[in-house]
Amino acid sequence: MKAAIIQAAGQAPVYADFADPVPVEGEVRIHVAAAALSHLAFGRASGTHYSSEARFPFVPGVDGVGRLESGQRVYFMLPRAPFGSMAEYTVVPEGQYLPLPDGLDDVLAAAMANPGMSSWAALRERAGLKQGETVLINGATGISGRLAIQIAKHLGAAKVIATGRNLEALSALGADITVPLVEDEKALEDRFREVFTERVDVVIDYLWGESARSLLIAAAKSGPERVPVRFVQVGSMAGDEIALPAAVLRSSSILMMGSGLGSVPREKLIASIGDVLNAAVPSNFQVVARKVALADIAQAWSAKDSSQRTVFVTA
């Protein structure tokens, strides 16, 4: 079969022939239609993600959309190594695929499944979002953040506050308040303190770095009598580490947690994807996707654009 192949860590994939996957007991073979280039897929392929496996060669891609031998259209995730989703065929264990709802396009389903999962799992499984609560999304201008705005409103958030650097389009997605991430640390902390004075129940953080530090300090300084803040860490686009004063946690009722592979059981992640895909059409979730032929993967692999998802198609 034709596939994208990673020969060594840090190398871009090449489009070439790879051994056909043969399912063993408890697996199904899937004819792949579309597979998105996610941060997880890119990180695993480059060897930088904590779940990377140092076994080469392999086919990249952690999820996608395709068809079973019966012709049923499904979303699937976490194929058996070395078979990833960026190939004509792959194999996945039973229970790691979901039927796709009618009316949801293959490319859009592939584009929104992974970032939608991260948002849904963070809001529902980790934060336990309740009807009428206020959600602050730190780093809302990327694909995951934009979907998080829409999903938070779908799940019943009364108010959504979005932070980022290019905020113009976020109100149309459901953001009630936008906060620009300015370089001045004190000015940013002061603005965050104003926000927390009003009330914030849940923070979904896609950035970490200085903005997360300012958020945590501002939440603590808003006073112990304020609503306890559930702070869910999802991504680290602005840095892997922060220097956080210990007093921030001692003087507040902030509840910090992570959300991702390892902190949420696999079956819960799969269920979250199903919830996102089933809600996508009736709630009109919006995601910008760029469709690229799998044969052109070498040219498109490193062309990163946080405002849209690259989805590779096999035909």
Side-chain angles (χ1 to χ4, degrees), residues 7-182:
Q7 302 284 3
Q11 291 186 3
V14 296
Y15 183 70
D17 292 315
F18 198 78
D20 284 356
V22 178
V24 299
E25 185 177 354
E27 291 182 338
V28 297
R29 189 169 92 140
I30 294 176
H31 185 186
V32 181
L37 177 56
S38 63
H39 292 301
L40 175 56
F42 192 87
R44 280 188 167 186
S46 63
T48 58
H49 193 267
Y50 62 81
S51 65
S52 300
E53 297 182 25
R55 294 189 295 171
F56 302 95
F58 71 92
V59 176
V62 297
D63 66 344
V65 169
R67 284 166 175 75
L68 303 178
E69 299 291 349
S70 65
Q72 182 183 23
R73 204 166 62 104
V74 297
Y75 165 83
F76 64 89
M77 68 180 296
L78 301 177
R80 168 170 54 89
F83 304 105
S85 60
M86 296 180 185
E88 291 180 305
Y89 295 92
T90 194
V91 287
V92 300
E94 290 280 2
Q96 289 182 197
Y97 62 88
L98 299 164
L100 276 183
D102 294 336
L104 183 58
D105 177 77
D106 286 352
V107 171
L108 290 180
M112 75 170 56
N114 189 277
M117 171 196 69
S118 73
S119 303
W120 195 288
L123 287 162
R124 177 59 63 83
E125 299 297 335
R126 300 298 279 157
L129 179 66
K130 301 177 181 65
Q131 191 85 18
E133 290 190 315
T134 294
V135 176
L136 188 152
I137 299 168
N138 190 37
T141 56
I143 295 297
S144 295
R146 288 171 180 241
L147 274 170
I149 294 171
Q150 300 170 74
I151 290 170
K153 281 299 182 76
H154 172 82
L155 292 175
K159 182 188 295 184
V160 174
I161 303 163
T163 81
R165 299 196 183 277
N166 299 297
L167 302 167
E168 295 79 9
L170 300 188
S171 295
L173 297 176
D176 300 285
I177 298 172
T178 57
V179 178
L181 295 179
V182 297

Side-chain angles (χ1 to χ4, degrees), residues 39-311:
H39 292 301
L40 175 56
F42 192 87
R44 280 188 167 186
S46 63
T48 58
H49 193 267
Y50 62 81
S51 65
S52 300
E53 297 182 25
R55 294 189 295 171
F56 302 95
F58 71 92
V59 176
V62 297
D63 66 344
V65 169
R67 284 166 175 75
L68 303 178
E69 299 291 349
S70 65
Q72 182 183 23
R73 204 166 62 104
V74 297
Y75 165 83
F76 64 89
M77 68 180 296
L78 301 177
R80 168 170 54 89
F83 304 105
S85 60
M86 296 180 185
E88 291 180 305
Y89 295 92
T90 194
V91 287
V92 300
E94 290 280 2
Q96 289 182 197
Y97 62 88
L98 299 164
L100 276 183
D102 294 336
L104 183 58
D105 177 77
D106 286 352
V107 171
L108 290 180
M112 75 170 56
N114 189 277
M117 171 196 69
S118 73
S119 303
W120 195 288
L123 287 162
R124 177 59 63 83
E125 299 297 335
R126 300 298 279 157
L129 179 66
K130 301 177 181 65
Q131 191 85 18
E133 290 190 315
T134 294
V135 176
L136 188 152
I137 299 168
N138 190 37
T141 56
I143 295 297
S144 295
R146 288 171 180 241
L147 274 170
I149 294 171
Q150 300 170 74
I151 290 170
K153 281 299 182 76
H154 172 82
L155 292 175
K159 182 188 295 184
V160 174
I161 303 163
T163 81
R165 299 196 183 277
N166 299 297
L167 302 167
E168 295 79 9
L170 300 188
S171 295
L173 297 176
D176 300 285
I177 298 172
T178 57
V179 178
L181 295 179
V182 297
E183 298 292 338
D184 187 317
E185 184 178 352
K186 184 180 184 306
L188 184 59
E189 185 182 315
D190 289 345
R191 180 68 183 97
F192 283 157
R193 287 184 69 177
E194 293 176 14
V195 167
F196 281 103
T197 298
E198 291 292 323
R199 175 178 178 137
V200 174
D201 300 283
V202 173
V203 174
I204 305 296
D205 173 45
Y206 289 101
L207 298 180
W208 206 229
E210 289 304 315
S211 62
R213 180 179 186 273
S214 294
L215 273 169
L216 288 164
I217 292 173
K221 287 183 177 179
S222 67
E225 74 282 359
R226 299 295 180 188
V227 175
V229 176
R230 287 109 72 196
F231 188 103
V232 186
Q233 213 296 303
V234 183
S236 52
M237 295 298 292
D240 292 327
E241 298 180 1
I242 62 173
L244 186 67
V248 167
L249 299 182
R250 293 200 305 268
S251 65
S252 69
S253 55
I254 296 171
L255 178 61
M256 294 186 65
M257 66 196 89
S259 185
L261 289 173
S263 57
V264 180
R266 181 172 297 184
E267 61 271 16
K268 298 275 190 184
L269 293 177
I270 295 172
S272 295
I273 293 170
D275 290 335
V276 170
L277 296 178
N278 284 320
V281 173
S283 291
N284 194 30
F285 290 163
Q286 302 292 312
V287 61
V288 180
R290 177 175 70 119
K291 184 168 68 172
V292 178
L294 185 61
D296 297 327
I297 192 167
Q299 295 84 357
W301 180 254
S302 299
K304 296 179 181 178
D305 182 351
S306 63
S307 67
Q308 63 179 354
R309 292 272 276 175
T310 299
V311 179

